[in-house]
Amino acid sequence: MEKIVDARGMACPLPVVNAKKAAESLNPGDTLIVRVDNEIAVQNLQRFAQHMGFSANGEKLGDTEFTVTMHIGGEAKAEPEIACAMDARKKGMLVVLSANTMGTGEETLGKALMKAFVFALTKQDVLPETILCYNTGAFLTTEGADTLEDLKLLESEGVTILTCGTCLDFYGLKEKLAVGGVTNMYEIVQRMESAQTIVRP
């Protein structure tokens, strides 16, 4: 028997709680598949499986899509430690990246400054709720960008990253988007209007 638990969007430790409930209804030899949207949940589920004596395999399907497959059976061990990361996002805080350079002047310097800015965002105690990228800012979220790893890290912390679809089309980058989702001008205006704090490097 195979059972699937969709725990995407659930706050820690709910993915583990729901996995435990589901496992209790299964028999040795059965399979439990848990879908989650962050790596912390994957690690917690693997610790839970180890505690229960289940074999487990985590798989990354996308930037915010993971599965943990557990095979029921085995002997319970020490109680697992569940690590719940606190939500560091500041509600209403919007970062606008309207270019792949920071400031005006020499382009190489501007790109280096923007890379440093995005990196510095990952080190703040308070993270933005949303990052909007448009015009040449679209280059920051696409294949080959030196800001990708930092943006992916921010996304894994729950930050919503959106890139202008018109801009991706204009620069021929539509098929190269590597982090976040696609947005439009209507949503860009909505998010700017509703933002409590807008940060523009």
Side-chain angles (χ1 to χ4, degrees):
M1 178 181 174
E2 182 180 283
K3 188 171 185 125
I4 297 175
V5 173
D6 190 350
R8 290 173 294 182
M10 292 185 182
C12 181
L14 287 179
V16 172
V17 171
N18 282 273
K20 185 174 185 295
K21 287 180 182 177
E24 290 171 350
S25 68
L26 297 174
N27 299 311
D30 291 342
T31 300
L32 174 62
I33 298 173
V34 186
R35 294 174 178 164
V36 292
D37 55 15
N38 63 85
E39 293 187 13
I40 291 176
V42 172
Q43 293 166 13
N44 285 333
L45 286 165
Q46 288 175 326
R47 279 192 285 267
F48 162 74
Q50 184 180 25
H51 158 67
M52 297 300 295
F54 305 158
S55 62
N57 178 53
E59 184 179 0
K60 182 175 182 178
L61 305 178
D63 290 335
T64 57
E65 189 175 356
F66 306 79
T67 61
V68 178
T69 303
M70 304 181 196
H71 300 287
I72 308 302
E75 221 173 285
K77 302 174 184 177
E79 194 68 28
E81 291 183 12
I82 306 301
C84 293
M86 296 187 66
D87 190 348
R89 293 172 300 168
K90 180 179 179 182
K91 187 170 178 59
M93 181 178 175
L94 173 67
V95 171
V96 174
L97 304 179
S98 59
N100 61 343
T101 59
M102 183 174 178
T104 56
E106 211 283 321
E107 185 179 4
T108 302
L109 174 60
K111 287 182 176 180
L113 292 175
M114 180 58 78
K115 183 181 186 303
F117 175 84
V118 175
F119 172 74
L121 274 181
T122 69
K123 301 302 180 183
Q124 303 304 304
D125 292 332
V126 177
L127 302 179
E129 186 175 32
T130 307
I131 296 176
L132 287 179
C133 300
Y134 55 81
N135 210 319
T136 57
F139 284 93
L140 300 172
T141 58
T142 50
E143 294 173 8
D146 57 10
T147 48
L148 269 185
E149 290 307 310
D150 290 326
L151 288 173
K152 286 180 178 180
L153 177 60
L154 288 166
E155 187 177 49
S156 73
E157 294 288 341
V159 178
T160 299
I161 300 174
L162 298 171
T163 303
C164 164
T166 301
C167 306
L168 290 169
D169 283 338
F170 183 85
Y171 291 113
L173 299 170
K174 191 171 184 180
E175 305 303 322
K176 296 183 178 181
L177 185 66
V179 62
V182 178
T183 188
N184 54 67
M185 190 54 66
Y186 184 80
E187 184 178 11
I188 289 172
V189 172
Q190 276 191 322
R191 288 183 179 268
M192 285 184 169
E193 285 184 338
S194 62
Q196 296 173 13
T197 304
I198 297 180
V199 177
R200 298 172 185 267

